[in-house]
PDB file of all heavy atoms in Angstrom:
ATOM      1  N   ASP A  32     -91.175 -14.565 -42.180  1.00 90.00           N
ATOM      2  CA  ASP A  32     -91.869 -14.373 -40.882  1.00 90.00           C
ATOM      3  C   ASP A  32     -92.406 -15.876 -40.531  1.00 90.00           C
ATOM      4  O   ASP A  32     -92.321 -16.138 -39.351  1.00 90.00           O
ATOM      5  CB  ASP A  32     -93.133 -13.526 -41.036  1.00 90.00           C
ATOM      6  CG  ASP A  32     -92.622 -12.062 -40.847  1.00 90.00           C
ATOM      7  OD1 ASP A  32     -91.449 -11.821 -40.538  1.00 90.00           O
ATOM      8  OD2 ASP A  32     -93.477 -11.134 -41.077  1.00 90.00           O
ATOM      9  N   LYS A  49     -88.355  -9.342 -24.035  1.00 98.00           N
ATOM     10  CA  LYS A  49     -87.462  -9.155 -22.885  1.00 98.00           C
ATOM     11  C   LYS A  49     -86.411  -8.041 -23.190  1.00 98.00           C
ATOM     12  O   LYS A  49     -86.151  -7.217 -22.374  1.00 98.00           O
ATOM     13  CB  LYS A  49     -86.642 -10.495 -22.587  1.00 98.00           C
ATOM     14  CG  LYS A  49     -87.550 -11.454 -21.769  1.00 98.00           C
ATOM     15  CD  LYS A  49     -86.746 -12.664 -21.348  1.00 98.00           C
ATOM     16  CE  LYS A  49     -87.646 -13.671 -20.657  1.00 98.00           C
ATOM     17  NZ  LYS A  49     -88.073 -13.349 -19.335  1.00 98.00           N
ATOM     18  N   ILE A  65     -85.984   5.891 -31.931  1.00 98.00           N
ATOM     19  CA  ILE A  65     -85.449   4.447 -31.944  1.00 98.00           C
ATOM     20  C   ILE A  65     -85.210   3.989 -33.406  1.00 98.00           C
ATOM     21  O   ILE A  65     -86.024   4.184 -34.269  1.00 98.00           O
ATOM     22  CB  ILE A  65     -86.452   3.430 -31.251  1.00 98.00           C
ATOM     23  CG1 ILE A  65     -86.709   3.814 -29.820  1.00 98.00           C
ATOM     24  CG2 ILE A  65     -85.840   1.910 -31.457  1.00 98.00           C
ATOM     25  CD1 ILE A  65     -87.611   2.815 -29.090  1.00 98.00           C
ATOM     26  N   GLU A  81     -94.940  -2.108 -28.883  1.00 98.00           N
ATOM     27  CA  GLU A  81     -95.798  -2.785 -27.825  1.00 98.00           C
ATOM     28  C   GLU A  81     -95.177  -2.573 -26.422  1.00 98.00           C
ATOM     29  O   GLU A  81     -96.064  -2.196 -25.515  1.00 98.00           O
ATOM     30  CB  GLU A  81     -95.679  -4.366 -28.001  1.00 98.00           C
ATOM     31  CG  GLU A  81     -96.590  -5.121 -27.042  1.00 98.00           C
ATOM     32  CD  GLU A  81     -96.193  -6.690 -27.331  1.00 98.00           C
ATOM     33  OE1 GLU A  81     -95.128  -7.100 -26.777  1.00 98.00           O
ATOM     34  OE2 GLU A  81     -96.989  -7.445 -27.827  1.00 98.00           O
ATOM     35  N   SER A  83     -93.347   0.056 -25.547  1.00 98.00           N
ATOM     36  CA  SER A  83     -93.554   1.428 -25.169  1.00 98.00           C
ATOM     37  C   SER A  83     -94.851   1.774 -24.615  1.00 98.00           C
ATOM     38  O   SER A  83     -95.176   2.566 -23.650  1.00 98.00           O
ATOM     39  CB  SER A  83     -93.219   2.233 -26.482  1.00 98.00           C
ATOM     40  OG  SER A  83     -94.052   3.340 -26.616  1.00 98.00           O
ATOM     41  N   PRO A  98     -81.090  -3.124 -46.048  1.00 98.00           N
ATOM     42  CA  PRO A  98     -80.654  -3.126 -47.499  1.00 98.00           C
ATOM     43  C   PRO A  98     -81.495  -3.907 -48.377  1.00 98.00           C
ATOM     44  O   PRO A  98     -81.387  -3.786 -49.687  1.00 98.00           O
ATOM     45  CB  PRO A  98     -79.214  -3.543 -47.561  1.00 98.00           C
ATOM     46  CG  PRO A  98     -79.020  -4.444 -46.381  1.00 98.00           C
ATOM     47  CD  PRO A  98     -80.091  -3.979 -45.348  1.00 98.00           C
ATOM     48  N   PHE A 112     -96.606   2.551 -38.237  1.00 98.00           N
ATOM     49  CA  PHE A 112     -96.072   3.792 -37.378  1.00 98.00           C
ATOM     50  C   PHE A 112     -94.700   4.178 -37.557  1.00 98.00           C
ATOM     51  O   PHE A 112     -94.230   5.164 -37.043  1.00 98.00           O
ATOM     52  CB  PHE A 112     -96.330   3.403 -35.948  1.00 98.00           C
ATOM     53  CG  PHE A 112     -95.704   2.144 -35.451  1.00 98.00           C
ATOM     54  CD1 PHE A 112     -94.400   2.090 -35.117  1.00 98.00           C
ATOM     55  CD2 PHE A 112     -96.355   1.035 -35.483  1.00 98.00           C
ATOM     56  CE1 PHE A 112     -93.675   1.021 -34.663  1.00 98.00           C
ATOM     57  CE2 PHE A 112     -95.736  -0.242 -34.983  1.00 98.00           C
ATOM     58  CZ  PHE A 112     -94.390  -0.190 -34.612  1.00 98.00           C
ATOM     59  N   THR A 119     -77.674   0.559 -45.226  1.00 98.00           N
ATOM     60  CA  THR A 119     -77.025  -0.530 -44.479  1.00 98.00           C
ATOM     61  C   THR A 119     -76.482  -0.054 -43.098  1.00 98.00           C
ATOM     62  O   THR A 119     -76.517   1.167 -42.854  1.00 98.00           O
ATOM     63  CB  THR A 119     -75.621  -0.848 -45.303  1.00 98.00           C
ATOM     64  OG1 THR A 119     -74.822   0.232 -45.272  1.00 98.00           O
ATOM     65  CG2 THR A 119     -75.997  -1.331 -46.739  1.00 98.00           C
ATOM     66  N   ALA A 122     -73.848   2.808 -42.941  1.00 98.00           N
ATOM     67  CA  ALA A 122     -74.220   4.138 -43.443  1.00 98.00           C
ATOM     68  C   ALA A 122     -75.596   4.498 -43.090  1.00 98.00           C
ATOM     69  O   ALA A 122     -76.575   4.493 -43.944  1.00 98.00           O
ATOM     70  CB  ALA A 122     -74.014   4.267 -44.982  1.00 98.00           C
ATOM     71  N   PHE A 132     -82.214   4.765 -28.714  1.00 98.00           N
ATOM     72  CA  PHE A 132     -81.826   3.380 -28.864  1.00 98.00           C
ATOM     73  C   PHE A 132     -81.511   3.122 -30.298  1.00 98.00           C
ATOM     74  O   PHE A 132     -82.175   3.551 -31.223  1.00 98.00           O
ATOM     75  CB  PHE A 132     -83.090   2.434 -28.444  1.00 98.00           C
ATOM     76  CG  PHE A 132     -83.559   2.731 -27.098  1.00 98.00           C
ATOM     77  CD1 PHE A 132     -84.763   2.154 -26.818  1.00 98.00           C
ATOM     78  CD2 PHE A 132     -82.775   3.252 -26.063  1.00 98.00           C
ATOM     79  CE1 PHE A 132     -85.367   2.370 -25.532  1.00 98.00           C
ATOM     80  CE2 PHE A 132     -83.303   3.383 -24.782  1.00 98.00           C
ATOM     81  CZ  PHE A 132     -84.629   2.891 -24.470  1.00 98.00           C
ATOM     82  N   GLY A 138     -79.144  -9.593 -36.768  1.00 97.00           N
ATOM     83  CA  GLY A 138     -78.806  -8.852 -37.944  1.00 97.00           C
ATOM     84  C   GLY A 138     -77.237  -8.702 -38.098  1.00 97.00           C
ATOM     85  O   GLY A 138     -76.707  -8.810 -39.161  1.00 97.00           O
ATOM     86  N   ARG A 140     -74.769 -10.485 -37.575  1.00 96.00           N
ATOM     87  CA  ARG A 140     -74.013 -11.523 -38.106  1.00 96.00           C
ATOM     88  C   ARG A 140     -73.964 -11.479 -39.633  1.00 96.00           C
ATOM     89  O   ARG A 140     -73.122 -12.103 -40.324  1.00 96.00           O
ATOM     90  CB  ARG A 140     -74.784 -12.907 -37.731  1.00 96.00           C
ATOM     91  CG  ARG A 140     -73.920 -14.110 -37.523  1.00 96.00           C
ATOM     92  CD  ARG A 140     -74.734 -15.244 -37.091  1.00 96.00           C
ATOM     93  NE  ARG A 140     -76.089 -14.951 -36.706  1.00 96.00           N
ATOM     94  CZ  ARG A 140     -77.152 -15.175 -37.453  1.00 96.00           C
ATOM     95  NH1 ARG A 140     -77.089 -15.762 -38.631  1.00 96.00           N
ATOM     96  NH2 ARG A 140     -78.437 -14.905 -36.928  1.00 96.00           N
ATOM     97  N   ASN A 141     -74.866 -10.763 -40.204  1.00 96.00           N
ATOM     98  CA  ASN A 141     -74.847 -10.542 -41.673  1.00 96.00           C
ATOM     99  C   ASN A 141     -74.206  -9.332 -42.210  1.00 96.00           C
ATOM    100  O   ASN A 141     -74.249  -9.170 -43.348  1.00 96.00           O
ATOM    101  CB  ASN A 141     -76.370 -10.516 -42.108  1.00 96.00           C
ATOM    102  CG  ASN A 141     -77.210 -11.629 -41.694  1.00 96.00           C
ATOM    103  OD1 ASN A 141     -76.942 -12.807 -42.023  1.00 96.00           O
ATOM    104  ND2 ASN A 141     -78.157 -11.386 -40.634  1.00 96.00           N
ATOM    105  N   LYS A 157     -77.309   9.030 -29.086  1.00 98.00           N
ATOM    106  CA  LYS A 157     -77.114  10.175 -28.114  1.00 98.00           C
ATOM    107  C   LYS A 157     -76.036   9.731 -27.017  1.00 98.00           C
ATOM    108  O   LYS A 157     -76.110   8.550 -26.703  1.00 98.00           O
ATOM    109  CB  LYS A 157     -78.389  10.560 -27.496  1.00 98.00           C
ATOM    110  CG  LYS A 157     -79.432  11.169 -28.370  1.00 98.00           C
ATOM    111  CD  LYS A 157     -80.729  11.360 -27.477  1.00 98.00           C
ATOM    112  CE  LYS A 157     -81.820  11.963 -28.371  1.00 98.00           C
ATOM    113  NZ  LYS A 157     -83.113  12.081 -27.719  1.00 98.00           N
ATOM    114  N   GLY A 160     -77.153   6.975 -24.690  1.00 98.00           N
ATOM    115  CA  GLY A 160     -78.176   6.149 -25.402  1.00 98.00           C
ATOM    116  C   GLY A 160     -77.669   4.681 -25.523  1.00 98.00           C
ATOM    117  O   GLY A 160     -76.548   4.295 -25.212  1.00 98.00           O
ATOM    118  N   LEU A 162     -77.365   0.682 -27.127  1.00 98.00           N
ATOM    119  CA  LEU A 162     -77.297  -0.153 -28.363  1.00 98.00           C
ATOM    120  C   LEU A 162     -77.833  -1.479 -27.810  1.00 98.00           C
ATOM    121  O   LEU A 162     -77.382  -2.023 -26.790  1.00 98.00           O
ATOM    122  CB  LEU A 162     -75.685  -0.390 -28.756  1.00 98.00           C
ATOM    123  CG  LEU A 162     -75.472  -1.407 -29.783  1.00 98.00           C
ATOM    124  CD1 LEU A 162     -76.222  -1.212 -31.045  1.00 98.00           C
ATOM    125  CD2 LEU A 162     -73.977  -1.505 -30.076  1.00 98.00           C
ATOM    126  N   ILE A 188     -83.360 -27.187 -39.304  1.00 80.00           N
ATOM    127  CA  ILE A 188     -83.549 -25.926 -39.713  1.00 80.00           C
ATOM    128  C   ILE A 188     -83.327 -25.910 -41.365  1.00 80.00           C
ATOM    129  O   ILE A 188     -84.182 -25.481 -42.045  1.00 80.00           O
ATOM    130  CB  ILE A 188     -82.798 -24.843 -39.037  1.00 80.00           C
ATOM    131  CG1 ILE A 188     -83.320 -24.715 -37.701  1.00 80.00           C
ATOM    132  CG2 ILE A 188     -82.673 -23.550 -39.800  1.00 80.00           C
ATOM    133  CD1 ILE A 188     -82.806 -23.551 -36.715  1.00 80.00           C
ATOM    134  N   GLY A 192     -86.448 -25.394 -43.556  1.00 81.00           N
ATOM    135  CA  GLY A 192     -86.270 -24.058 -44.188  1.00 81.00           C
ATOM    136  C   GLY A 192     -86.245 -24.256 -45.726  1.00 81.00           C
ATOM    137  O   GLY A 192     -86.874 -23.438 -46.470  1.00 81.00           O
ATOM    138  N   ALA A 201     -80.389 -20.915 -48.178  1.00 80.00           N
ATOM    139  CA  ALA A 201     -80.582 -19.817 -47.147  1.00 80.00           C
ATOM    140  C   ALA A 201     -80.542 -20.409 -45.683  1.00 80.00           C
ATOM    141  O   ALA A 201     -80.092 -19.824 -44.796  1.00 80.00           O
ATOM    142  CB  ALA A 201     -81.853 -19.121 -47.451  1.00 80.00           C
ATOM    143  N   SER A 217     -66.403 -12.477 -27.170  1.00 96.00           N
ATOM    144  CA  SER A 217     -65.580 -11.662 -28.064  1.00 96.00           C
ATOM    145  C   SER A 217     -66.417 -10.663 -28.699  1.00 96.00           C
ATOM    146  O   SER A 217     -65.946  -9.501 -29.082  1.00 96.00           O
ATOM    147  CB  SER A 217     -65.080 -12.713 -29.174  1.00 96.00           C
ATOM    148  OG  SER A 217     -65.999 -13.438 -29.849  1.00 96.00           O
ATOM    149  N   PHE A 243     -77.470  -8.223 -25.729  1.00 98.00           N
ATOM    150  CA  PHE A 243     -76.488  -7.359 -25.298  1.00 98.00           C
ATOM    151  C   PHE A 243     -77.062  -6.029 -25.215  1.00 98.00           C
ATOM    152  O   PHE A 243     -77.651  -5.591 -26.199  1.00 98.00           O
ATOM    153  CB  PHE A 243     -75.408  -7.258 -26.293  1.00 98.00           C
ATOM    154  CG  PHE A 243     -74.595  -8.502 -26.582  1.00 98.00           C
ATOM    155  CD1 PHE A 243     -75.064  -9.478 -27.499  1.00 98.00           C
ATOM    156  CD2 PHE A 243     -73.358  -8.866 -26.094  1.00 98.00           C
ATOM    157  CE1 PHE A 243     -74.490 -10.545 -27.884  1.00 98.00           C
ATOM    158  CE2 PHE A 243     -72.755  -9.993 -26.411  1.00 98.00           C
ATOM    159  CZ  PHE A 243     -73.219 -10.988 -27.288  1.00 98.00           C
ATOM    160  N   ARG A 246     -73.998   0.783 -23.538  1.00 98.00           N
ATOM    161  CA  ARG A 246     -74.357   2.242 -23.455  1.00 98.00           C
ATOM    162  C   ARG A 246     -73.196   3.008 -24.072  1.00 98.00           C
ATOM    163  O   ARG A 246     -71.880   2.795 -23.825  1.00 98.00           O
ATOM    164  CB  ARG A 246     -74.553   2.638 -22.032  1.00 98.00           C
ATOM    165  CG  ARG A 246     -75.197   3.915 -21.936  1.00 98.00           C
ATOM    166  CD  ARG A 246     -75.374   4.392 -20.489  1.00 98.00           C
ATOM    167  NE  ARG A 246     -76.385   3.632 -19.670  1.00 98.00           N
ATOM    168  CZ  ARG A 246     -77.625   3.793 -19.619  1.00 98.00           C
ATOM    169  NH1 ARG A 246     -78.248   4.743 -20.244  1.00 98.00           N
ATOM    170  NH2 ARG A 246     -78.415   3.025 -18.759  1.00 98.00           N
ATOM    171  N   PRO A 248     -71.092   6.092 -23.587  1.00 98.00           N
ATOM    172  CA  PRO A 248     -70.884   6.896 -22.385  1.00 98.00           C
ATOM    173  C   PRO A 248     -71.283   8.399 -22.615  1.00 98.00           C
ATOM    174  O   PRO A 248     -71.383   8.958 -23.783  1.00 98.00           O
ATOM    175  CB  PRO A 248     -69.395   6.872 -22.126  1.00 98.00           C
ATOM    176  CG  PRO A 248     -69.023   5.586 -22.984  1.00 98.00           C
ATOM    177  CD  PRO A 248     -69.968   5.469 -24.061  1.00 98.00           C
TER     178      PRO A 248
END
Side-chain angles (χ1 to χ4, degrees):
D32 279 350
K49 280 183 185 292
I65 297 182
E81 183 190 75
S83 141
F112 57 82
T119 67
F132 302 160
R140 215 174 349 101
N141 304 295
K157 291 178 184 173
L162 168 63
I188 288 184
S217 59
F243 302 79
R246 197 181 293 272

